[in-house]
Amino acid sequence: MSSSPSLFKQLGRGAASLLSGRHLILLVLGTGFLPFTIVVVHPNELRIQSFFSGGGCTRPVPDDADSRAPVKANSLPHEANTTTQDDASRTPAAPNDDDVRILIGILTLPGKYARRHLLRTVYSLQAEEHPSLAGAVDVRFVFCNVTSPEHAVLVALEIIRFGDIIVLDCAENMDDGKTYTFFSTVARAFSSNDTRYDYVMKADDDTYFRLPALVSSLRGASREDAYYGLQMPCDAENFYPFPPFMSGMGYALSWDLVAWVAQSELSRRDRVGPEDLWTGRWLNLAGKAKHRYDMAPRMYNYKGSSPDNCFRHGFVPDTIAPISESDV
């Protein structure tokens, strides 16, 4: 993937010849924000302010003693004990399960300002209606290094205003390691017991979560070795029988698995490919994710005018997350 020179390289190498007059005006106005941008968005100085409230997670999570164990490349896919959404909803919650903490990272692009503002509105309205979400869910928008001068200034202003953006140290991509970089960056940024989440979720920017339903469904789930989402392939007879994985529309890993992804040579080495399929591949090969939660039919593609199938259908009353028809 080719990309334009970074903003900082442009500033050091004859930026005047590369930028339009409009860009120069934006750069002059944004000069005071550039140091702020470097400090806030660089992964080594990552600061993620709470979208809904301040404070961090205090639930201790044991270290994964086998995180550096060798993995055989020809291992058979791990046959996990998959739990359906009905089973998960019937599982009794442990006494302290009300303090479940979830980080949702919405992978998107710097230029999708309107989409981010729409999602902020959707989730802030839910938080206002359900105050308990303030201690449960943090929502972040995630993209790679910002190389456009105009976007660099506008994103800096957006960070100041909302404080809900993570900029990863990578070239923008979809299936070239961005998800791996997201999980490994979060694992480093929240490595202490005081800041760890119970679950970290990767989501697409065309997926809309009903946060109360999401939190409720995870309260009864395991906090360790857990993999949650819409399991694919959902119909082995009509779809190619890939080893099981959770659809990229939105899937969550328990914290121990996020930490494992960051440390594992398997995930570091084998990260280029369809990101959702590859995440499932890492876990299958390593024998991880013994607790799997398939949330069909509550997570799905909204069918619109398309025919029904195992992952696309109309609205259901207890929906957790649909993808909008226009984005499918």
Side-chain angles (χ1 to χ4, degrees):
M1 177 184 295
S2 62
S3 61
S4 59
S6 72
L7 173 61
F8 308 111
K9 289 181 180 178
Q10 290 178 18
L11 289 174
R13 299 181 183 178
S17 63
L18 297 172
L19 307 177
S20 68
R22 178 171 158 221
H23 287 157
L24 285 173
I25 292 173
L26 283 169
L27 286 176
V28 170
L29 293 175
T31 298
F33 299 117
L34 292 179
F36 176 86
T37 307
I38 296 171
V39 170
V40 171
V41 304
H42 194 281
N44 291 333
E45 297 293 339
L46 186 62
R47 286 164 174 71
I48 305 182
Q49 302 167 356
S50 175
F51 181 43
F52 294 121
S53 69
C57 174
T58 58
R59 175 183 297 277
V61 180
D63 293 331
D64 185 350
D66 299 325
S67 62
R68 296 187 181 276
V71 178
K72 295 181 180 180
N74 60 350
S75 299
L76 292 175
H78 172 57
E79 294 186 1
N81 181 19
T82 302
T83 302
T84 66
Q85 64 92 6
D86 288 332
D87 294 331
S89 64
R90 287 196 295 266
T91 304
N96 294 325
D97 274 354
D98 284 346
D99 65 348
V100 61
R101 294 274 284 124
I102 308 162
L103 172 64
I104 302 176
I106 300 173
L107 273 60
T108 185
L109 298 172
K112 290 191 172 183
Y113 300 104
R115 177 61 59 88
R116 289 197 290 279
H117 292 324
L118 171 62
L119 290 174
R120 284 189 186 106
T121 301
V122 168
Y123 294 134
S124 63
L125 288 174
Q126 291 187 53
E128 289 177 8
E129 186 174 349
H130 302 276
S132 63
L133 293 174
V137 183
D138 290 338
V139 177
R140 299 290 176 267
F141 299 99
V142 182
F143 36 81
C144 291
N145 291 324
V146 183
T147 56
S148 160
E150 182 172 345
H151 289 331
V153 174
L154 296 177
V155 166
L157 295 171
E158 200 172 354
I159 290 171
I160 292 172
R161 174 64 181 85
F162 299 106
D164 60 359
I165 290 175
I166 299 174
V167 180
L168 305 173
D169 188 12
C170 55
E172 193 58 68
N173 69 90
M174 181 172 69
D175 292 323
D176 197 21
K178 183 174 180 178
T179 296
Y180 166 82
T181 304
F182 166 62
F183 283 132
S184 58
T185 298
V186 167
R188 292 193 301 271
F190 296 100
S191 58
S192 72
N193 286 344
D194 291 337
T195 58
R196 290 180 184 177
Y197 289 88
D198 294 304
Y199 307 97
V200 178
M201 173 170 277
K202 173 266 167 182
D204 288 340
D205 64 8
D206 57 359
T207 302
Y208 302 88
F209 287 96
R210 295 179 65 237
L211 297 181
L214 173 66
V215 171
S216 176
S217 67
L218 279 169
R219 279 191 178 128
S222 173
R223 302 296 173 87
E224 297 179 14
D225 208 24
Y227 187 23
Y228 169 103
L230 172 62
Q231 182 164 289
M232 304 294 288
C234 54
D235 180 355
E237 294 183 2
N238 296 306
F239 292 87
Y240 189 85
F242 291 106
F245 66 97
M246 299 300 179
S247 168
M249 66 179 290
Y251 58 88
L253 302 180
S254 56
W255 179 263
D256 60 306
L257 292 183
V258 175
W260 174 80
V261 168
Q263 299 170 2
S264 170
E265 179 64 18
L266 169 63
S267 57
R268 187 198 66 79
R269 183 182 65 244
D270 188 22
R271 50 181 159 171
V272 178
E275 61 85 21
D276 50 359
L277 179 59
W278 252 234
T279 299
R281 172 187 169 91
W282 302 333
L283 300 172
N284 292 334
L285 289 175
K288 298 285 185 180
K290 293 181 177 60
H291 304 288
R292 302 197 179 197
Y293 299 93
D294 179 12
M295 304 315 292
R298 300 176 66 190
M299 295 179 68
Y300 56 93
N301 289 2
Y302 176 63
K303 71 170 188 173
S305 57
S306 303
D308 282 10
N309 60 28
C310 63
F311 64 87
R312 179 183 287 114
H313 54 77
F315 287 120
V316 296
D318 56 351
T319 289
I320 293 174
I323 296 178
S324 63
E325 180 201 10
S326 61
D327 296 312
V328 174

